[in-house]
């Protein structure tokens, strides 16, 4: 019986998102107007992570002959956005080639890169096998142990895991791969099969980065897959003979005309809430929905700050419309570059050069459409000061009370004000030096720092703690006395670590909490690892999401939230750095947990 050839479920019809500009990508793929900016050879049975900037081209080649490579891809600035193999397979085909695009996962769903060169584009073997596979996934030590009874540490899953550790990612970030140069298919019974790699020396697979990418590549331990197997057939010596390095090159395009008509793709435009009503709570005797999923207009203060940029990213990902305050046009442009293609309806700016000035936010809180939420993160966190009152206390306290006054006066539609470092507050407003790290005391939202103004003036550390404490108390006092049209919630994070976002210009401009990691990496802990101080922490991305959740949920109003992931110590940081960078000299003493505490 001759089987009919049904039409694909997803077709690149004229004007659809699946239609690609073949002239554009042909131009890019054929052009010699490119400059090599990075290159390396990936040894057998190993992995390496590398960056491919937006608008650049990456070539993976079989320099020495046939070899399979397993490729993972993430957004460089947001690793939660990563390659989605199964959706790419649905949108294009089971085996990729020129003009196909690698799509990202939900809720982003956009092309991360486009294939512009493939010397094996027309390959099909005598049993229907095709190359550049999306049917299968990476080899891993778990299924190997299950099927062969052997432990082996150099499967692609393990190679990719090791490769991404220096970028702050872990095993859970490894995902389904594109098997570059791998030939696979389905037999007549629908079962997956693999055939030897047909690549010859010099064959290549080339893609154009649509966004800034973090890539990781593994040289498959089965090499060209001509001698793979399980059990008695899985002898590693046999497969070792089939293994070869892969070559990777990254090119910058040097002719700007090549990219005429190209724009970086934007995430999917869906902004609904999946038809879901969140659970209800009791308010004045009647159930009310917590959040209906409708786009909300939000004012975010201090938008270029370490934490605020992640809050901004979380808000945009949820489909909200954000106006963020910045000190200058340069800060606004930095954020535009960080979120390219986000329209003014979703991201706009208001300029507040000095939050400590009287009336600094009076105009900033006015908006059409009006604001419903205000997330106030603008507050200093550094110890490079000359005047504690002017550099720390005034910006924190006056900035907080100033925006509350402005909202009451000029923004009657605002329902909720969220503060980090007080409405973002800080664990510094909770931690009390008089109690310290006593093992018999458990800190909670009920605790307050007992620092006094006199103690604050004495040194920057006390000054910082006082700025957070005084500012948060001033916010609660304002609400208590003024009874405004809005409610507040405060988030009190401890030490905040995580990726720097937007791009870091120099190591000198790194945010305060990450400076301890930088300093240890630069060899400043050769004599002794410094004390940890506050030994609890939170990931900046989780903290950002906590801000959005506190704004979405009316039952968060009137509460303080101590947001933490658990314990850490400078010793743990130092040990991890030593493992990843053994050439860095780090003292064997110092940085331990306080007596009676541990990471458990």
């Amino acid at each position: 019986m001759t089987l009919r050839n049904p039409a694909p479920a997803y077709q690149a019809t004229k004007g659809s998102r699946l239609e690609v500009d073949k002239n554009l990508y042909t131009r890019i793929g054929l052009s010699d107007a490119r400059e090599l900016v990075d290159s390396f050879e990936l040894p057998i049975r190993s992995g390496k992570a590398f960056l491919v900037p937006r608008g650049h081209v990456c070539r993976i080649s079989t320099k020495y002959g046939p070899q399979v490579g397993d490729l993972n891809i993430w957004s460089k600035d947001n690793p939660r956005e990563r390659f989605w193999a199964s959706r790419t397979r649905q949108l294009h085909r089971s085996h990729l080639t020129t003009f196909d695009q690698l799509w990202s996962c939900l809720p982003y769903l956009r092309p991360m890169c486009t294939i512009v060169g493939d010397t094996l584009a027309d390959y099909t073997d005598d049993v229907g096998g095709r190359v550049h596979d999306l049917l299968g996934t990476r080899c891993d030590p778990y299924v190997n142990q299950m099927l062969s009874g052997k432990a082996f540490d150099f499967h692609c899953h393990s190679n990719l895991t090791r490769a991404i550790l220096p970028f702050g990612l872990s095993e859970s970030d490894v995902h389904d791969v594109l098997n570059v140069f791998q030939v696979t298919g389905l037999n007549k019974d629908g079962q997956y099969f693999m055939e030897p790699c047909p690549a010859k020396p010099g064959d290549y697979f080339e893609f154009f980065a649509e966004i800034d990418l973090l890539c990781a590549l593994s040289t498959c331990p089965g090499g060209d897959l001509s001698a793979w197997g399980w059990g008695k057939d899985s002898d590693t010596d046999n497969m070792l003979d089939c293994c070869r390095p892969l070559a990777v090159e990254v090119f910058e395009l040097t002719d700007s005309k090549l990219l005429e008509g190209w724009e970086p793709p934007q995430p999917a435009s869906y902004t609904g809430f999946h038809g879901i009503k969140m659970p209800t709570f009791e308010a004045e005797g009647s159930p009310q929905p917590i959040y209906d999923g409708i786009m909300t207009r939000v004012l975010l203060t201090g938008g270029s700050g370490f934490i605020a940029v992640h809050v901004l990213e979380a808000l945009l990902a949820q489909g909200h419309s954000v106006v963020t305050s910045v000190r200058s046009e340069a800060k606004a442009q930095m954020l535009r570059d960080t979120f390219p293609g986000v329209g003014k309806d979703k991201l706009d700016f208001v300029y507040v050069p000095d939050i400590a000035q009287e009336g600094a936010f009076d105009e900033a809180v006015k908006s059409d459409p009006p604001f419903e939420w205000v997330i106030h993160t603008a507050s200093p966190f550094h110890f490079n000061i000359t005047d504690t009152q002017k550099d720390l206390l005034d910006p924190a306290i006056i900035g907080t009370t100033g925006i509350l006054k402005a909202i009451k006066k000029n923004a009657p539609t605002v329902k909720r004000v969220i503060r980090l470092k007080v409405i973002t507050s800080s664990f510094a407003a909770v931690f009390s030096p008089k109690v310290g790290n006593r093992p018999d005391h458990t800190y909670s939202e009920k605790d307050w720092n007992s620092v006094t103004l006199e103690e604050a003036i004495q040194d920057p550390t006390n000054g910082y703690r006082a700025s957070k404490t005084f500012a948060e108390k001033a916010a609660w006092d304002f609400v208590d006395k003024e009874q405004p049209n809005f409610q507040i919630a405060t988030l009190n994070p401890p030490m905040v670590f995580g990726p720097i976002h937007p791009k870091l210009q120099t190591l000198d401009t790194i945010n305060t909490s990450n400076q301890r990691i930088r300093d240890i990496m630069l060899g400043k802990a050769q004599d002794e690892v410094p004390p940890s101080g506050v030994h609890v922490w939170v990931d900046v991305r989780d903290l950002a999401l906590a801000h959005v959740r506190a704004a979405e949920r009316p039952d968060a109003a009137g509460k303080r939230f101590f947001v933490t992931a658990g314990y850490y110590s400078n010793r743990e940081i130092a040990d991890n750095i030593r493992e990843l960078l053994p050439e860095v000299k780090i003292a064997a003493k110092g940085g331990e947990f306080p007596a009676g505490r541990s990471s458990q």
Side-chain angles (χ1 to χ4, degrees):
M1 180 179 65
T2 301
L3 297 177
R4 65 184 178 88
N5 187 25
Y10 297 88
Q11 300 187 46
T13 56
K14 185 70 174 176
S16 80
R17 187 73 181 268
L18 295 181
E19 183 185 29
V20 300
D21 185 343
K22 292 186 178 181
N23 290 330
L24 167 69
Y25 294 113
T26 297
R27 208 162 60 226
I28 293 171
L30 295 179
S31 176
D32 292 327
R34 51 175 70 179
E35 179 182 346
L36 185 67
V37 295
D38 188 20
S39 65
F40 59 90
E41 286 189 10
L42 183 62
I44 65 171
R45 296 184 169 181
S46 64
K48 183 177 176 64
F50 55 99
L51 299 176
V52 183
R54 181 182 69 193
H56 286 52
V57 171
C58 176
R59 173 179 287 191
I60 303 171
S61 60
T62 53
K63 184 175 180 180
Y64 302 103
Q67 170 66 43
V68 170
D70 286 36
L71 180 66
N72 261 191
I73 301 178
W74 300 260
S75 163
K76 180 186 77 68
D77 296 319
N78 174 23
R80 287 193 174 99
E81 181 178 8
R82 60 193 191 183
F83 171 51
W84 190 5
S86 59
R87 179 62 80 199
T88 300
R89 185 172 64 242
Q90 281 186 316
L91 296 178
H92 293 299
R93 65 196 84 238
S94 61
H95 298 79
L96 301 185
T97 189
T98 312
F99 305 130
D100 290 333
Q101 299 182 305
L102 280 66
W103 291 75
S104 63
C105 62
L106 300 180
Y108 310 98
L109 194 60
R110 59 176 167 174
M112 305 181 79
C113 62
T114 302
I115 302 171
V116 295
D118 177 13
T119 57
L120 297 171
D122 299 323
Y123 181 83
T124 303
D125 70 10
D126 58 354
V127 292
R130 299 172 185 267
V131 73
H132 309 316
D133 160 64
L134 282 181
L135 288 174
T137 188
R138 62 206 179 276
C139 55
D140 67 78
Y142 305 100
V143 73
N144 180 75
Q145 184 82 41
M146 178 180 73
L147 296 178
S148 71
K150 298 178 181 180
F152 184 66
D153 293 333
F154 300 98
H155 287 287
C156 288
H157 180 87
S158 299
N159 296 342
L160 294 170
T161 297
R162 295 193 310 276
I164 60 178
L165 289 177
F167 288 85
L169 304 184
S170 64
E171 181 181 4
S172 61
D173 293 295
V174 176
H175 51 280
D176 279 349
V177 299
L178 171 62
N179 289 306
V180 185
F181 303 121
Q182 182 170 344
V183 174
T184 67
L186 300 177
N187 66 17
K188 63 183 180 64
D189 295 318
Q191 296 170 310
Y192 180 71
F193 67 78
M194 300 189 296
E195 291 283 291
C197 171
K200 296 179 174 59
D203 276 326
Y204 65 84
F205 174 91
E206 195 169 81
F207 62 85
F208 171 79
E210 303 280 352
I211 62 175
D212 288 330
L213 299 177
L214 169 63
C215 302
L217 182 67
S218 166
T219 41
C220 179
D224 62 16
L225 299 183
S226 61
W228 71 276
W230 302 112
K232 64 181 179 60
D233 297 321
S234 64
D235 183 85
T236 56
D237 290 336
N238 291 340
M239 287 195 287
L240 193 61
D241 295 336
C242 307
C243 292
R244 300 169 184 88
L246 287 172
V248 176
E249 299 165 288
V250 179
F251 299 94
E252 180 181 6
L253 300 177
T254 56
D255 183 356
S256 60
K257 292 182 180 179
L258 289 172
L259 298 183
E260 286 182 355
W262 171 77
E263 292 184 359
Q266 300 308 306
S269 58
Y270 175 73
T271 57
F273 205 60
H274 313 292
I276 299 172
K277 293 290 185 179
M278 297 288 281
T280 59
F281 76 106
E282 296 299 321
E284 299 179 351
S286 61
Q288 299 180 18
I290 285 179
Y291 176 55
D292 59 11
I294 299 173
M295 182 188 75
T296 300
R297 186 76 161 169
V298 185
L299 174 62
L300 171 67
T301 69
S304 62
F306 169 53
I307 296 170
V309 180
H310 288 275
V311 176
L312 174 57
E313 182 178 53
L315 288 167
L316 293 175
Q318 296 288 331
H320 299 300
S321 173
V322 184
V323 175
T324 185
S325 71
V326 290
R327 292 197 302 266
S328 65
E329 169 59 24
K331 297 288 187 182
Q333 188 57 50
M334 180 178 66
L335 290 174
R336 292 189 192 100
D337 293 341
T338 302
F339 301 98
V342 177
K344 193 173 181 180
D345 60 324
K346 287 295 184 73
L347 176 59
D348 205 355
F349 301 92
V350 63
Y351 301 98
V352 181
D354 185 359
I355 65 174
Q357 291 295 314
E358 189 68 31
F361 289 103
D362 283 357
E363 295 301 315
V365 299
K366 299 176 182 179
S367 173
D368 183 20
F371 295 119
E372 293 185 47
W373 306 338
V374 173
I375 299 180
H376 181 49
T377 74
S379 186
F381 177 24
H382 61 86
F383 302 120
N384 184 25
I385 63 173
T386 57
D387 185 328
T388 299
Q389 186 71 47
K390 179 181 177 182
D391 297 335
L392 286 177
L393 297 180
D394 287 350
I397 300 168
I398 298 175
T400 298
T401 56
I403 196 167
L404 297 180
K405 291 176 182 177
I407 295 168
K408 182 183 179 185
K409 178 182 176 182
N410 297 319
T413 57
V414 170
K415 301 173 183 177
R416 197 160 305 109
V417 181
I418 310 299
R419 176 173 170 74
L420 169 68
K421 300 188 171 82
V422 193
I423 312 164
T424 301
S425 188
S426 170
F427 183 63
V430 175
F431 180 84
S432 174
K434 294 180 180 178
V435 177
N437 295 315
R438 277 183 8 213
D440 61 340
H441 182 75
T442 300
Y443 282 99
S444 73
E445 291 86 350
K446 296 179 180 179
D447 288 288
W448 284 92
N449 196 318
S450 59
V451 65
T452 65
L453 178 60
E454 292 73 22
E455 292 169 335
I457 302 299
Q458 292 174 3
D459 68 81
T461 300
N462 279 339
Y464 167 73
R465 291 170 176 167
S467 72
K468 305 310 174 189
T469 305
F470 299 166
E472 185 179 356
K473 286 186 174 181
W476 291 114
D477 288 344
F478 178 90
V479 172
D480 184 53
K481 294 175 182 177
E482 299 293 330
Q483 296 294 304
N485 51 291
F486 56 83
Q487 299 172 303
I488 70 171
T490 65
L491 277 71
N492 299 77
M495 292 299 294
V496 183
F497 298 116
I500 309 297
H501 191 15
K503 296 176 181 177
L504 186 65
Q505 300 302 313
T506 70
L507 286 177
D508 293 334
T509 60
I510 198 169
N511 64 292
T512 302
S513 56
N514 278 326
Q515 285 177 8
R516 64 181 63 202
I517 301 175
R518 175 203 65 187
D519 290 347
I520 296 174
M521 292 179 69
L522 292 178
K524 296 183 179 181
Q526 296 184 34
D527 297 326
E528 184 175 6
V529 176
S532 305
V534 173
H535 57 281
V536 284
W537 76 288
V538 67
D539 188 298
V540 66
R541 292 161 292 189
D542 294 330
L543 179 59
L545 187 59
H547 279 74
V548 180
R549 292 292 178 261
E552 290 174 347
R553 298 179 62 96
D555 56 347
K559 296 177 182 176
R560 305 173 81 204
F561 294 95
F562 177 25
V563 186
T564 179
Y567 296 117
Y568 85 98
S569 72
N570 280 355
R571 169 51 53 193
E572 287 182 316
I573 293 174
D575 291 345
N576 285 329
I577 291 173
R578 180 188 289 111
E579 181 177 348
L580 293 171
L581 301 171
E583 68 274 16
V584 177
K585 295 181 180 179
I586 302 174
K589 63 177 181 178
E592 289 82 5
F593 282 99
R597 296 285 190 188
S598 72
S599 60
Q600 303 302 316

